Amino acid sequence: MMKKCRVLYDFSGETDNGELTIYENEVLQIIRQDVGEGWWEAENPSGQRGLVPEAYVEMVEENQGSKPITTQQSTVSQDDEWDDDEWDERASQSSYDAQQQEVSSQDSGLNGNNYGLSAPNRQFKQRNSEASARSGTVKKNFASRFSVFAKTGGEAYLLGGGPKKGASPDGTIRIIEAEDGPRWEETVGKYTCEIKNPKKESKLKGIKSFIAYQVTPSNTGIRVSRRYKHFDWLYERLAEKFTLVIVPPLPDKQVTGRYEEAFIEKRMDQLQRWMNRMTAHPVIGPSDVMIHFTSCTDEKLWKQGKRKAEKDEFLGAAFYQNIEPPANNLDVATIERQHDTFTRFTKSFDSSVAVIQQVIHDYSKKHLGPFKREYQKIGNSFTELATTFNLDNRPNPEGKDDPPQESVQLTEALNFTGKTYEEIGELFYQQPKYDLHPFEDFLKEYGGMMSCFPDMIHFHKHTVQTVKECQKQREEQKMDFEEAEAVKKRADVISYAMMAEVNHFHRERVEDFKWIMQVYLKEQIKFYKSLTIKLEEALQKYDELDR
Amino acid sequence: MMKKCRVLYDFSGETDNGELTIYENEVLQIIRQDVGEGWWEAENPSGQRGLVPEAYVEMVEENQGSKPITTQQSTVSQDDEWDDDEWDERASQSSYDAQQQEVSSQDSGLNGNNYGLSAPNRQFKQRNSEASARSGTVKKNFASRFSVFAKTGGEAYLLGGGPKKGASPDGTIRIIEAEDGPRWEETVGKYTCEIKNPKKESKLKGIKSFIAYQVTPSNTGIRVSRRYKHFDWLYERLAEKFTLVIVPPLPDKQVTGRYEEAFIEKRMDQLQRWMNRMTAHPVIGPSDVMIHFTSCTDEKLWKQGKRKAEKDEFLGAAFYQNIEPPANNLDVATIERQHDTFTRFTKSFDSSVAVIQQVIHDYSKKHLGPFKREYQKIGNSFTELATTFNLDNRPNPEGKDDPPQESVQLTEALNFTGKTYEEIGELFYQQPKYDLHPFEDFLKEYGGMMSCFPDMIHFHKHTVQTVKECQKQREEQKMDFEEAEAVKKRADVISYAMMAEVNHFHRERVEDFKWIMQVYLKEQIKFYKSLTIKLEEALQKYDELDR
């Protein structure tokens, strides 16, 4: 039976070289896999045949191959297999609806750019509490019932105050005034987590198998074992709890291909980076659910903590009840201007990142194909010349056939040069692993963070609008002074939180981009140095001929 | 009126980028010359429009533009202008017919590859001397009357002996036995020539203008002034005199374009290389005509020497009368085997050189377009990101707008990186000048030398055939022993000369390819080092952020 593969990335083939142009998600019939040098021969749905780069496609099962499967759909397949264990059955009775969300989620991100992530939109449970009823004091609703502002209870919180009774498990979170503006107060006991040793484990007599990662937090030093779905659960908790905090989605859930080990390693690295960002965040790191996730070793306690987290009522807008902002009141006009500046920044950032991603993607692709071929062509032409020079049989009366020493040495030097350029071609092929791919992964991670911006901006915009509406109503005597002041005070909490988070983001951004540029440039330098060394070795062969 | 340009090289345009695919010798209408970055907008004869690289086309005069002009035709135009002076009028009365040859010459070279040269085929005057009549003793002619063998008098010489009376102006040329086979004996008084200071001179009150090169030979140290047409005259003398010696054609006669100065410099360099090869050759260097060309300063003596050279009868096969070979007779079977080996070598060399030329040409083209654009795209994407990061206005209650120092520094570092990659793009654009173009020029020169092989091989092959035929006739008693032995003795002179020349060629080849590979690799190393330095400067900007 004909094998099939699915196209992972667009590839613009050079027809002259017998290549086929292919498009993401197309399913191709594989004609030959032994073409060599990373190329397969394949046939596209229109019946055209040609060479395609092996790295741009992945094998599919016969029964899957017949219909094109979108990336969205494919993201669930692996973890699905592992999902029906005891832990998940209980979970399905709780308010935990991540599973469902994930399937129904659409591409997220700004401007329709989803950064290659299956980043689910945050979907908040409707917090239809008594506060909602109390908002009847305001004659009209300022935001759509279905907006994130409404859904997370933002309107209810602003207009009605703290609807939740009792203490939040996270205690009070303070925002302090720093030189560069408001900051989240750093708590003592910062920690990091090391994720290591992914192990394939199984249950139900081997029918179900899954990967368990060993997570060791620096504060306890005690290792805990966590599966991807546990991380996913954690993500859901954080995302629904911290409305104005950037909680980037987890790395892609992907169908594991032939490179299962490499895939697991890569996912682990991505989880590590995600975890680093979460533990380092001054609000998320010390949160109750994070501590539970990183430190709980006992199964019974785990389940208790899990249920507690799922029942946490101080999420969405209710979270702001526990924030203690700086004492000063904020000026609405200043807030609005800064809000607009940040909005402009996110839009510009969005498009710059999209441009770099495209450039890097194209450039990376060229390393795999055209660049490698270019240098190998050069190498081959030198090797061919060396083959010709092997025919140097000097005519002489005795008919002796050996060419003189210097001719033999030149031929050897040319052969060496040919080999050198072949190797340079291979270095080009390998190079993206060291510079472009890490850069791409980094930008993907940022893409995930950026997918949180629209909700943040939306939430804060409606906060400001609500404040302005209340002031207007007060001026029109439709709202009394104290009530309007109370709304403003609560709005200030949200604005301070927004400021603190934006400032936190910018500080991280500067650090992160500095880091990735250093990584990238160092690898570029290393690369060009390695070419120089190779060429110097080749040159030496000719210099030796002088001796 | 619409300006036009002629396409110098094929260019495969990327339609997606608005480029136009163009073919050598096409005449395009120029739409815009101010597109920038080395691109013009043009329309091809089919009416398609697009961008074309400026470096791939040259402007043509309106009256020329209407018909496509082939390279062959264009080679005569400049020097034509200079040709009707007194010197040439006299020349036309002599046997000198170079002018006519040049116009009628067809593309030369093996396998139809003319290496981009206007290398005229050697066209020899029919030496229809008394020897031809004496060949009546042989019942049939072994070679076509129109072959180079017949035309240069090879057959007449072999069968009839030395037809020319008196002493050759060049004296006796000896072939000696060396370790690696027969060699031309090196004469004392080797010299080199320096060609310098091309000067535009004019006559006929400025109507006729030409370039005069100052030629200083190392043996006399006295400067002589020579024009291109003098070199051309010299080439014709050498080519018709030395049948089995490689006399490469002169560099292209080209229409001078806008870059007249650069063109003159380049032609001078090429003439220098040609002259180096000629003066270094043990037979050509000391020849009477070369000495005359390099040393004659007096106009009257010049004309005398010119007429003497044109009347030299010891050319073509007659030249072999003056050669004194080693004493040993040669074995025909050995000679034939070596002949075949060399023939195989030339064919293989021909195709290897064609491959390298193509590879280098394509690779060089990529530097001008795609590579440059690739790095500039990367540069632009960093610059764009820096522009975004300029929008980093940290929110704070006072509404201060200055981003903190580390953010400003990151933005500057990104801008610097953007500029660095722009510059790297420019370095790619410039690089072929230093490595690929010299390599191309070198291969062109070798192409010229290789265009001499077919005649050499043809001449020698017929020599061997004639010897074999005579032996057969002697066995059949149709030719007496002495006559056959005399033919064999004369054929040995030719075979020894062929051996000496092939050995000379191989020695030069080893030296030359060693030299060009060193030039090329050194420039490649320099290039990659310069990229490394640029990138290190960029990296430093980020490293400084730590301080």
Side-chain angles (χ1 to χ4, degrees), chain B residues 38 74 135 152 207 216 223 237 266 295 318 334 370 387 446 511 540 546:
Chain B
S74 70
S135 72
T152 58
I207 295 172
T216 313
R223 205 185 60 196
R237 298 289 75 69
K266 183 158 188 189
S295 64
T334 305
T387 308
Y446 257 79
E511 277 307 302
Q540 213 195 329
D546 288 329

Side-chain angles (χ1 to χ4, degrees), chain A residues 283-495:
Chain A
V283 173
I284 297 172
S287 70
D288 203 53
V289 65
M290 275 292 282
I291 299 296
H292 177 63
F293 179 86
T294 55
S295 63
C296 185
T297 51
D298 179 83
E299 188 147 355
K300 204 173 153 197
L301 289 176
W302 170 260
K303 283 175 194 168
Q304 281 174 13
K306 181 170 175 290
R307 254 172 259 133
K308 182 181 162 208
E310 285 160 7
K311 282 181 184 151
D312 184 2
E313 295 207 293
F314 292 87
L315 36 73
F319 165 71
Y320 297 100
Q321 280 184 250
N322 310 311
I323 291 181
E324 192 179 300
N328 295 331
N329 290 337
L330 293 170
D331 171 51
V332 176
T334 305
I335 291 297
E336 270 197 300
R337 209 182 62 241
Q338 289 179 346
H339 179 96
D340 292 343
T341 302
F342 183 66
T343 305
R344 264 207 317 284
F345 170 83
T346 61
K347 281 181 181 156
S348 179
F349 193 34
D350 187 51
S351 81
S352 319
V353 167
V355 166
I356 299 193
Q357 280 187 313
Q358 190 59 47
V359 167
I360 286 182
H361 181 75
D362 291 351
Y363 187 43
S364 169
K365 233 171 65 174
K366 279 178 185 142
H367 281 76
L368 300 183
F371 290 170
K372 183 187 174 188
R373 280 201 301 278
E374 196 64 42
Y375 289 94
Q376 293 194 334
K377 262 194 249 168
I378 295 169
N380 288 341
S381 70
F382 286 132
T383 308
E384 205 174 304
L385 188 64
T387 309
T388 291
F389 285 0
N390 260 332
L391 298 174
D392 169 16
N393 296 333
R394 304 290 165 96
N396 58 63
E398 287 82 35
K400 286 180 297 187
D401 268 357
D402 297 343
Q405 189 58 15
E406 69 268 21
S407 174
V408 174
Q409 283 172 341
L410 174 71
T411 306
E412 280 167 5
L414 277 169
N415 258 324
F416 188 87
T417 312
K419 214 174 101 254
T420 298
Y421 276 96
E422 282 264 354
E423 285 165 7
I424 286 177
E426 189 58 31
L427 287 179
F428 268 92
Y429 183 83
Q430 299 293 341
Q431 186 53 20
K433 266 191 228 161
Y434 306 111
D435 52 15
L436 295 169
H437 292 174
F439 210 143
E440 272 188 296
D441 289 344
F442 172 84
L443 292 175
K444 242 187 186 180
E445 196 195 346
Y446 258 79
M449 291 165 70
M450 287 154 75
S451 72
C452 302
F453 289 149
D455 277 355
M456 282 172 70
I457 288 170
H458 171 88
F459 189 96
H460 187 250
K461 191 178 142 200
H462 281 287
T463 299
V464 176
Q465 277 178 354
T466 304
V467 165
K468 283 165 77 182
E469 187 65 27
C470 288
Q471 282 177 341
K472 207 175 139 213
Q473 292 203 2
R474 188 178 63 78
E475 282 157 20
E476 292 167 2
Q477 317 270 315
K478 291 178 191 158
M479 186 182 267
D480 64 40
F481 179 77
E482 283 72 22
E483 199 174 355
E485 280 302 288
V487 169
K488 173 67 168 59
K489 216 160 183 62
R490 286 189 289 264
D492 277 3
V493 173
I494 293 176
S495 288

Side-chain angles (χ1 to χ4, degrees), chain A residues 348 352 366 374 388 514 546, chain B residues 352 366 374 388 514 546:
Chain A
S348 179
S352 319
K366 279 178 185 142
E374 196 64 42
T388 291
K514 189 189 85 179
D546 287 328
Chain B
S352 318
K366 278 176 188 147
E374 196 65 41
T388 291
K514 189 188 87 179
D546 288 329

